[in-house]
Coordinates of all heavy atoms in Angstrom, one line a residue:
M18 N 8.7 5.2 10.5 CA 8.2 6.2 11.5 C 6.7 6.2 11.4 O 6.1 6.1 10.4 CB 8.7 7.6 11.1 CG 10.1 7.8 11.5 SD 10.6 9.6 11.4 CE 10.6 9.8 9.7
P19 N 6.1 6.2 12.6 CA 4.6 6.2 12.7 C 4.0 7.5 12.2 O 4.6 8.6 12.3 CB 4.3 5.9 14.1 CG 5.6 6.1 14.9 CD 6.7 6.1 13.9
I20 N 2.8 7.5 11.8 CA 2.0 8.6 11.5 C 1.0 8.9 12.6 O 0.2 8.0 12.9 CB 1.3 8.4 10.1 CG1 2.3 8.2 9.0 CG2 0.4 9.6 9.8 CD1 1.6 7.9 7.7
Y21 N 1.0 10.1 13.2 CA 0.1 10.5 14.2 C -0.9 11.5 13.7 O -0.6 12.3 12.9 CB 0.9 11.0 15.4 CG 1.8 10.1 16.1 CD1 3.2 10.1 15.9 CD2 1.3 9.0 16.9 CE1 4.1 9.2 16.5 CE2 2.2 8.1 17.5 CZ 3.5 8.2 17.3 OH 4.4 7.3 17.9
E22 N -2.1 11.4 14.2 CA -3.2 12.3 13.8 C -3.4 13.2 15.0 O -3.5 12.8 16.1 CB -4.4 11.4 13.5 CG -5.5 12.2 12.8 CD -6.6 11.3 12.4 OE1 -6.7 10.1 12.8 OE2 -7.5 11.7 11.6
Y23 N -3.5 14.5 14.6 CA -3.7 15.6 15.6 C -5.0 16.4 15.3 O -5.3 16.5 14.1 CB -2.5 16.6 15.7 CG -1.3 16.0 16.3 CD1 -0.4 15.2 15.6 CD2 -1.0 16.3 17.6 CE1 0.8 14.7 16.2 CE2 0.2 15.9 18.3 CZ 1.0 15.1 17.5 OH 2.2 14.6 18.1
R24 N -5.6 17.0 16.3 CA -6.7 17.9 16.1 C -6.7 19.0 17.1 O -6.3 18.9 18.2 CB -8.1 17.1 16.3 CG -9.3 18.1 16.0 CD -10.6 17.4 16.3 NE -10.7 16.1 15.7 CZ -11.6 15.2 16.1 NH1 -12.3 15.4 17.1 NH2 -11.6 14.0 15.5
C25 N -7.0 20.2 16.6 CA -7.1 21.4 17.4 C -8.5 21.6 18.0 O -9.5 21.6 17.2 CB -6.7 22.6 16.6 SG -6.8 24.2 17.5
P26 N -8.6 21.7 19.3 CA -10.0 21.9 19.9 C -10.6 23.3 19.6 O -11.8 23.5 19.6 CB -9.8 21.7 21.4 CG -8.3 21.9 21.6 CD -7.6 21.6 20.3
S27 N -9.7 24.3 19.3 CA -10.2 25.6 19.1 C -10.8 25.8 17.7 O -11.9 26.3 17.6 CB -9.0 26.6 19.3 OG -8.5 26.5 20.6
C28 N -10.0 25.4 16.7 CA -10.5 25.7 15.3 C -11.0 24.5 14.6 O -11.5 24.5 13.5 CB -9.4 26.4 14.5 SG -8.0 25.4 14.1
G29 N -10.7 23.3 15.2 CA -11.1 22.0 14.5 C -10.2 21.5 13.5 O -10.5 20.5 12.8
F30 N -9.1 22.2 13.3 CA -8.1 21.7 12.2 C -7.6 20.3 12.6 O -7.3 20.1 13.8 CB -6.9 22.7 12.2 CG -5.9 22.4 11.2 CD1 -6.1 22.5 9.9 CD2 -4.6 21.9 11.6 CE1 -5.1 22.2 8.9 CE2 -3.6 21.5 10.8 CZ -3.9 21.7 9.4
Q31 N -7.5 19.4 11.6 CA -7.1 18.1 11.9 C -6.1 17.7 10.8 O -6.3 18.0 9.6 CB -8.3 17.1 11.8 CG -7.9 15.7 12.2 CD -9.2 14.9 12.4 OE1 -10.2 15.4 12.8 NE2 -9.0 13.6 12.3
K32 N -4.9 17.1 11.2 CA -3.9 16.7 10.2 C -3.1 15.5 10.7 O -3.0 15.3 11.9 CB -3.0 17.9 10.0 CG -2.0 17.7 8.9 CD -1.1 18.9 8.6 CE -0.1 18.5 7.5 NZ 0.8 19.6 7.3
E33 N -2.5 14.7 9.8 CA -1.6 13.7 10.2 C -0.2 14.2 10.1 O 0.2 14.9 9.2 CB -1.8 12.5 9.2 CG -3.1 11.8 9.3 CD -3.3 10.7 8.3 OE1 -2.6 10.7 7.3 OE2 -4.2 9.9 8.5
H34 N 0.7 13.7 11.0 CA 2.1 14.1 11.1 C 2.9 12.9 11.2 O 2.7 12.0 12.0 CB 2.3 15.1 12.2 CG 1.6 16.4 12.2 ND1 2.1 17.4 11.5 CD2 0.4 16.8 12.7 CE1 1.2 18.5 11.6 NE2 0.2 18.1 12.4
L35 N 4.0 12.9 10.4 CA 5.0 11.8 10.4 C 6.0 12.2 11.5 O 6.7 13.2 11.3 CB 5.6 11.6 9.0 CG 6.6 10.5 8.9 CD1 5.9 9.1 9.0 CD2 7.3 10.6 7.5
Q36 N 6.1 11.4 12.5 CA 7.0 11.7 13.6 C 7.7 10.4 14.1 O 7.2 9.3 14.0 CB 6.3 12.3 14.8 CG 5.7 13.6 14.6 CD 5.0 14.1 15.9 OE1 4.0 13.5 16.3 NE2 5.6 15.0 16.6
K37 N 8.9 10.6 14.7 CA 9.6 9.5 15.3 C 8.9 9.3 16.6 O 8.2 10.1 17.2 CB 11.1 9.9 15.6 CG 11.9 10.1 14.4 CD 13.3 10.4 14.9 CE 14.2 10.7 13.7 NZ 15.6 11.1 14.1
M38 N 9.0 8.0 17.1 CA 8.4 7.7 18.4 C 9.0 8.5 19.6 O 8.4 8.8 20.6 CB 8.5 6.2 18.7 CG 7.6 5.4 17.7 SD 7.7 3.6 18.0 CE 6.6 3.5 19.4
S39 N 10.3 8.9 19.4 CA 11.0 9.6 20.4 C 10.7 11.1 20.4 O 11.1 11.8 21.3 CB 12.5 9.4 20.3 OG 13.0 9.8 19.1
D40 N 10.1 11.6 19.4 CA 9.8 13.1 19.3 C 8.7 13.5 20.3 O 7.8 12.7 20.6 CB 9.3 13.4 17.9 CG 10.3 13.4 16.8 OD1 11.5 13.3 17.2 OD2 10.0 13.4 15.6
E41 N 8.8 14.7 20.7 CA 7.8 15.2 21.7 C 6.5 15.5 20.9 O 6.5 15.8 19.7 CB 8.3 16.6 22.2 CG 9.4 16.4 23.2 CD 9.0 15.7 24.5 OE1 7.9 16.0 25.0 OE2 9.8 14.9 25.0
P42 N 5.4 15.2 21.5 CA 4.1 15.5 20.8 C 3.9 17.0 20.5 O 4.4 17.9 21.2 CB 3.0 15.1 21.9 CG 3.7 14.3 22.9 CD 5.2 14.7 22.9
L43 N 3.3 17.3 19.4 CA 3.1 18.6 18.9 C 2.0 19.3 19.9 O 1.1 18.6 20.3 CB 2.6 18.7 17.5 CG 3.5 18.0 16.5 CD1 2.9 18.0 15.1 CD2 4.8 18.8 16.4
S44 N 2.2 20.6 20.1 CA 1.2 21.2 21.0 C 0.6 22.5 20.4 O -0.4 23.0 20.9 CB 1.8 21.5 22.4 OG 3.0 22.4 22.2
V45 N 1.2 23.0 19.4 CA 0.8 24.3 18.8 C 0.1 24.0 17.4 O 0.7 23.3 16.6 CB 1.9 25.3 18.6 CG1 1.5 26.6 17.9 CG2 2.6 25.6 19.9
C46 N -1.1 24.5 17.3 CA -1.9 24.2 16.0 C -1.2 25.0 14.9 O -1.0 26.2 15.0 CB -3.3 24.7 16.2 SG -4.3 24.6 14.7
P47 N -0.9 24.3 13.8 CA -0.3 25.0 12.6 C -1.3 26.0 11.9 O -0.9 26.8 11.1 CB 0.1 23.9 11.7 CG -0.5 22.7 12.2 CD -1.0 22.9 13.5
S48 N -2.6 25.8 12.1 CA -3.6 26.6 11.5 C -3.9 27.9 12.2 O -3.8 29.0 11.6 CB -4.9 25.8 11.4 OG -5.9 26.6 10.8
C49 N -4.2 27.8 13.5 CA -4.6 29.0 14.3 C -3.5 29.5 15.3 O -3.6 30.6 15.8 CB -5.9 28.8 15.0 SG -5.9 27.6 16.3
G50 N -2.5 28.6 15.6 CA -1.4 29.0 16.5 C -1.7 28.9 17.9 O -0.8 29.2 18.8
T51 N -2.9 28.4 18.3 CA -3.1 28.2 19.7 C -2.5 26.9 20.3 O -2.3 26.0 19.5 CB -4.7 28.2 20.0 OG1 -5.2 27.1 19.3 CG2 -5.3 29.5 19.6
T52 N -2.3 26.8 21.6 CA -1.9 25.6 22.2 C -3.1 24.7 22.4 O -4.2 25.1 22.5 CB -1.1 25.9 23.5 OG1 -2.0 26.6 24.4 CG2 0.1 26.7 23.2
G53 N -2.8 23.4 22.6 CA -3.9 22.5 22.8 C -4.0 21.5 21.6 O -4.9 20.7 21.6
Y54 N -3.2 21.6 20.6 CA -3.2 20.7 19.5 C -2.9 19.3 20.1 O -1.8 19.0 20.6 CB -2.1 21.1 18.5 CG -2.2 20.6 17.1 CD1 -3.3 20.6 16.4 CD2 -1.0 20.1 16.5 CE1 -3.4 20.2 15.1 CE2 -1.0 19.6 15.2 CZ -2.2 19.7 14.5 OH -2.3 19.3 13.2
A55 N -3.9 18.4 20.0 CA -3.8 17.1 20.7 C -3.7 15.9 19.8 O -4.4 15.9 18.7 CB -5.0 17.0 21.6
K56 N -3.0 14.9 20.2 CA -2.8 13.7 19.4 C -4.1 12.9 19.6 O -4.7 12.8 20.7 CB -1.6 12.9 20.0 CG -1.2 11.7 19.1 CD -0.1 10.9 19.7 CE 1.2 11.7 19.8 NZ 2.3 10.8 20.3
L57 N -4.6 12.3 18.5 CA -5.8 11.5 18.6 C -5.5 10.0 18.6 O -4.4 9.6 18.1 CB -6.7 11.8 17.3 CG -7.2 13.2 17.1 CD1 -7.9 13.3 15.8 CD2 -8.1 13.6 18.2
L58 N -6.4 9.3 19.1 CA -6.3 7.8 19.1 C -7.0 7.3 17.9 O -8.2 7.6 17.7 CB -6.9 7.2 20.4 CG -6.8 5.7 20.5 CD1 -5.4 5.3 20.6 CD2 -7.6 5.3 21.8
S59 N -6.3 6.7 16.9 CA -7.0 6.2 15.7 C -6.6 4.8 15.4 O -5.6 4.3 16.0 CB -6.6 7.2 14.5 OG -5.2 7.3 14.4
A60 N -7.3 4.2 14.4 CA -7.0 2.8 14.0 C -5.7 2.7 13.3 O -5.2 3.7 12.7 CB -8.1 2.3 13.1
A61 N -5.1 1.6 13.4 CA -3.8 1.3 12.7 C -4.0 1.4 11.2 O -5.1 1.0 10.6 CB -3.2 0.0 13.0
G62 N -3.1 2.0 10.5 CA -3.2 2.2 9.0 C -2.4 1.2 8.2 O -1.6 1.6 7.4
F63 N -2.7 -0.1 8.3 CA -2.0 -1.0 7.4 C -3.1 -2.1 7.1 O -4.0 -2.3 7.7 CB -0.8 -1.7 8.1 CG -1.1 -2.6 9.2 CD1 -1.2 -4.0 9.0 CD2 -1.3 -2.2 10.5 CE1 -1.5 -4.9 10.0 CE2 -1.6 -3.0 11.5 CZ -1.7 -4.4 11.3
Q64 N -2.8 -2.8 6.0 CA -3.7 -3.8 5.5 C -2.8 -5.0 5.1 O -1.7 -4.9 4.6 CB -4.4 -3.4 4.3 CG -5.4 -2.3 4.5 CD -6.1 -1.9 3.2 OE1 -5.7 -2.3 2.1 NE2 -7.2 -1.1 3.4
L65 N -3.4 -6.2 5.4 CA -2.7 -7.4 5.0 C -3.4 -7.9 3.7 O -4.6 -8.2 3.7 CB -2.8 -8.5 6.1 CG -2.2 -8.1 7.4 CD1 -2.5 -9.2 8.5 CD2 -0.7 -7.9 7.3
K66 N -2.6 -8.0 2.6 CA -3.2 -8.4 1.4 C -2.5 -9.6 0.8 O -1.3 -9.9 1.2 CB -3.1 -7.3 0.3 CG -3.9 -6.1 0.7 CD -3.8 -5.1 -0.5 CE -4.7 -3.9 -0.2 NZ -4.6 -2.9 -1.3
G67 N -3.1 -10.3 -0.1 CA -2.4 -11.5 -0.7 C -2.6 -12.8 0.1 O -3.3 -12.8 1.1
S68 N -1.9 -13.8 -0.4 CA -2.0 -15.1 0.3 C -1.3 -15.2 1.6 O -1.6 -15.9 2.4 CB -1.6 -16.2 -0.7 OG -0.2 -15.9 -1.1
G69 N -0.2 -14.4 1.7 CA 0.5 -14.3 2.9 C 1.5 -15.5 3.2 O 1.4 -16.5 2.5
W70 N 2.4 -15.3 4.1 CA 3.4 -16.3 4.4 C 2.8 -17.5 5.0 O 3.3 -18.6 4.8 CB 4.5 -15.7 5.3 CG 4.0 -15.3 6.6 CD1 3.6 -14.0 7.0 CD2 3.8 -16.1 7.8 NE1 3.2 -14.0 8.3 CE2 3.3 -15.3 8.8 CE3 4.1 -17.4 8.1 CZ2 3.0 -15.7 10.0 CZ3 3.8 -17.9 9.3 CH2 3.3 -17.1 10.3
Y71 N 1.7 -17.3 5.8 CA 1.2 -18.5 6.5 C 0.5 -19.5 5.5 O 0.4 -20.6 5.8 CB 0.1 -18.0 7.4 CG -1.0 -17.1 6.8 CD1 -2.1 -17.7 6.2 CD2 -0.8 -15.7 6.8 CE1 -3.0 -16.9 5.6 CE2 -1.8 -14.9 6.2 CZ -2.9 -15.5 5.6 OH -3.8 -14.7 5.0
A72 N 0.1 -19.0 4.3 CA -0.5 -19.9 3.4 C 0.6 -20.7 2.5 O 0.3 -21.7 1.9 CB -1.4 -19.1 2.4
T73 N 1.8 -20.1 2.5 CA 2.8 -20.8 1.6 C 3.9 -21.5 2.4 O 4.4 -22.5 2.0 CB 3.5 -19.8 0.7 OG1 4.0 -18.7 1.5 CG2 2.5 -19.2 -0.3
D74 N 4.2 -21.0 3.6 CA 5.3 -21.5 4.4 C 5.0 -22.4 5.5 O 5.6 -23.4 5.8 CB 6.2 -20.4 4.9 CG 6.8 -19.6 3.8 OD1 6.9 -20.1 2.7 OD2 7.2 -18.4 4.0
F75 N 4.0 -22.1 6.3 CA 3.7 -22.8 7.5 C 2.2 -23.3 7.5 O 1.6 -23.5 8.6 CB 3.9 -21.9 8.7 CG 5.3 -21.4 8.8 CD1 5.6 -20.1 8.4 CD2 6.3 -22.2 9.3 CE1 6.9 -19.6 8.5 CE2 7.6 -21.7 9.4 CZ 7.9 -20.5 9.0
K76 N 1.7 -23.6 6.4 CA 0.3 -24.1 6.3 C 0.3 -25.5 6.9 O 1.0 -26.4 6.5 CB -0.2 -24.0 4.9 CG -1.7 -24.3 4.8 CD -2.1 -24.1 3.3 CE -3.6 -24.4 3.2 NZ -4.0 -24.1 1.9
G77 N -0.7 -25.8 7.7 CA -0.8 -27.1 8.3 C -1.6 -28.0 7.4 O -2.1 -27.6 6.3
G78 N -1.8 -29.2 7.8 CA -2.6 -30.2 7.0 C -1.7 -31.1 6.2 O -0.5 -31.0 6.2
A79 N -2.4 -32.0 5.5 CA -1.7 -33.0 4.7 C -1.1 -32.4 3.4 O -1.7 -31.5 2.8 CB -2.7 -34.1 4.4
K80 N 0.0 -32.9 3.1 CA 0.6 -32.4 1.8 C 0.2 -33.3 0.7 O -0.1 -34.5 0.9 CB 2.2 -32.5 2.0 CG 2.7 -31.5 3.0 CD 4.2 -31.4 3.0 CE 4.6 -30.4 4.0 NZ 6.0 -30.2 3.9
P81 N 0.1 -32.8 -0.5 CA -0.3 -33.7 -1.6 C 0.7 -34.8 -1.8 O 1.9 -34.7 -1.7 CB -0.3 -32.8 -2.8 CG 0.5 -31.6 -2.5 CD 0.4 -31.5 -1.0
A82 N 0.2 -36.0 -2.2 CA 1.0 -37.2 -2.4 C 1.9 -37.0 -3.6 O 1.5 -36.4 -4.6 CB 0.2 -38.4 -2.6
A83 N 3.1 -37.5 -3.5 CA 4.1 -37.4 -4.6 C 3.6 -38.3 -5.8 O 3.1 -39.4 -5.5 CB 5.5 -37.7 -4.2
P84 N 3.8 -37.9 -7.0 CA 3.4 -38.8 -8.1 C 4.2 -40.1 -8.1 O 5.4 -40.1 -7.8 CB 3.6 -38.0 -9.4 CG 4.5 -36.9 -9.0 CD 4.3 -36.7 -7.5
A85 N 3.6 -41.3 -8.4 CA 4.3 -42.5 -8.4 C 5.3 -42.6 -9.5 O 5.0 -42.1 -10.6 CB 3.3 -43.7 -8.5
A86 N 6.5 -43.1 -9.2 CA 7.6 -43.2 -10.3 C 7.2 -44.3 -11.2 O 6.7 -45.3 -10.8 CB 8.9 -43.4 -9.6
E87 N 7.4 -44.0 -12.5 CA 7.1 -45.1 -13.5 C 8.2 -46.2 -13.4 O 9.3 -46.0 -13.2 CB 7.2 -44.5 -14.9 CG 6.1 -43.5 -15.2 CD 6.2 -43.0 -16.6 OE1 6.7 -43.7 -17.5 OE2 5.7 -41.9 -16.9
S88 N 7.6 -47.4 -13.4 CA 8.6 -48.5 -13.3 C 8.9 -49.0 -14.6 O 8.1 -49.1 -15.6 CB 7.9 -49.7 -12.4 OG 6.8 -50.1 -13.1
T89 N 10.2 -49.4 -14.8 CA 10.7 -50.0 -16.1 C 10.6 -51.5 -16.0 O 10.9 -52.1 -15.0 CB 12.1 -49.5 -16.4 OG1 12.9 -49.9 -15.3 CG2 12.2 -48.0 -16.5
P90 N 10.2 -52.1 -17.1 CA 10.1 -53.6 -17.0 C 11.5 -54.2 -16.9 O 12.5 -53.7 -17.3 CB 9.5 -54.0 -18.4 CG 9.7 -52.7 -19.3 CD 9.8 -51.6 -18.4
A91 N 11.5 -55.3 -16.2 CA 12.8 -56.1 -16.0 C 13.3 -56.6 -17.3 O 12.5 -57.0 -18.1 CB 12.6 -57.2 -15.0
P92 N 14.6 -56.6 -17.5 CA 15.1 -57.1 -18.8 C 14.8 -58.6 -18.9 O 14.8 -59.4 -18.0 CB 16.6 -56.9 -18.7 CG 16.9 -56.6 -17.2 CD 15.6 -56.2 -16.6
A93 N 14.5 -59.0 -20.2 CA 14.2 -60.4 -20.5 C 15.5 -61.3 -20.3 O 16.6 -60.8 -20.5 CB 13.7 -60.5 -21.9
A94 N 15.3 -62.5 -20.1 CA 16.4 -63.4 -19.9 C 17.2 -63.5 -21.2 O 16.7 -63.7 -22.3 CB 16.0 -64.8 -19.5
G95 N 18.5 -63.3 -21.1 CA 19.4 -63.4 -22.2 C 19.6 -62.1 -23.0 O 20.4 -62.0 -23.9
G96 N 18.9 -61.0 -22.6 CA 19.1 -59.8 -23.3 C 19.3 -58.7 -22.3 O 19.1 -58.8 -21.1
C97 N 19.7 -57.5 -22.7 CA 20.0 -56.4 -21.8 C 18.8 -55.6 -21.5 O 18.8 -54.8 -20.6 CB 21.2 -55.6 -22.4 SG 20.7 -54.6 -23.8
G98 N 17.7 -55.7 -22.3 CA 16.5 -54.9 -22.1 C 16.6 -53.6 -22.7 O 15.6 -52.8 -22.7
G99 N 17.7 -53.2 -23.4 CA 17.8 -51.9 -24.0 C 17.4 -52.0 -25.5 O 16.8 -53.0 -26.0
G100 N 17.6 -50.9 -26.2 CA 17.2 -50.9 -27.6 C 18.4 -51.2 -28.5 O 18.4 -50.8 -29.7
C101 N 19.3 -52.1 -28.1 CA 20.5 -52.3 -28.9 C 20.4 -53.6 -29.7 O 21.3 -54.0 -30.5 CB 21.8 -52.4 -28.0 SG 21.7 -53.8 -26.8
A102 N 19.3 -54.3 -29.6 CA 19.1 -55.6 -30.4 C 20.1 -56.6 -30.2 O 20.5 -57.3 -31.1 CB 19.0 -55.2 -31.9
C103 N 20.6 -56.8 -29.0 CA 21.6 -57.9 -28.7 C 20.9 -59.2 -28.3 O 19.8 -59.3 -28.0 CB 22.5 -57.5 -27.6 SG 21.8 -57.1 -26.0

């Protein structure tokens, strides 16, 4: 649910209210009781922190090269190449 900010033009009382988008706007000031309590236009109240999905999932550019696999020497003629002393 969004948080809306309201201000009373009569007494200057200002407060944030948690309301559904389908709720009717408030019109009566909770401080002085007069009508005219108006919704204000304010900046969005969220922040993006951390590395984010774009840096881990969909980052463009070249990927690091995979490490080369170690090659094993070919077995010598007449032996199996293992440690069995055959």
Side-chain angles (χ1 to χ4, degrees):
M18 280 194 291
I20 298 174
Y21 295 105
E22 193 172 12
Y23 285 84
R24 183 183 310 154
C25 178
S27 300
C28 68
F30 179 76
Q31 187 170 333
K32 186 176 178 185
E33 294 176 342
H34 297 276
L35 184 66
Q36 292 182 290
K37 292 180 183 177
M38 292 181 77
S39 60
D40 288 348
E41 291 293 321
L43 302 175
S44 60
V45 178
C46 175
S48 179
C49 66
T51 61
T52 58
Y54 199 48
K56 192 184 294 187
L57 300 175
L58 181 63
S59 56
F63 71 95
Q64 294 179 348
L65 301 175
K66 293 184 177 181
S68 59
W70 61 268
Y71 55 87
T73 55
D74 296 338
F75 299 103
K76 187 174 182 178
K80 294 185 178 187
E87 293 183 26
S88 60
T89 56
C97 70
C101 64
C103 59

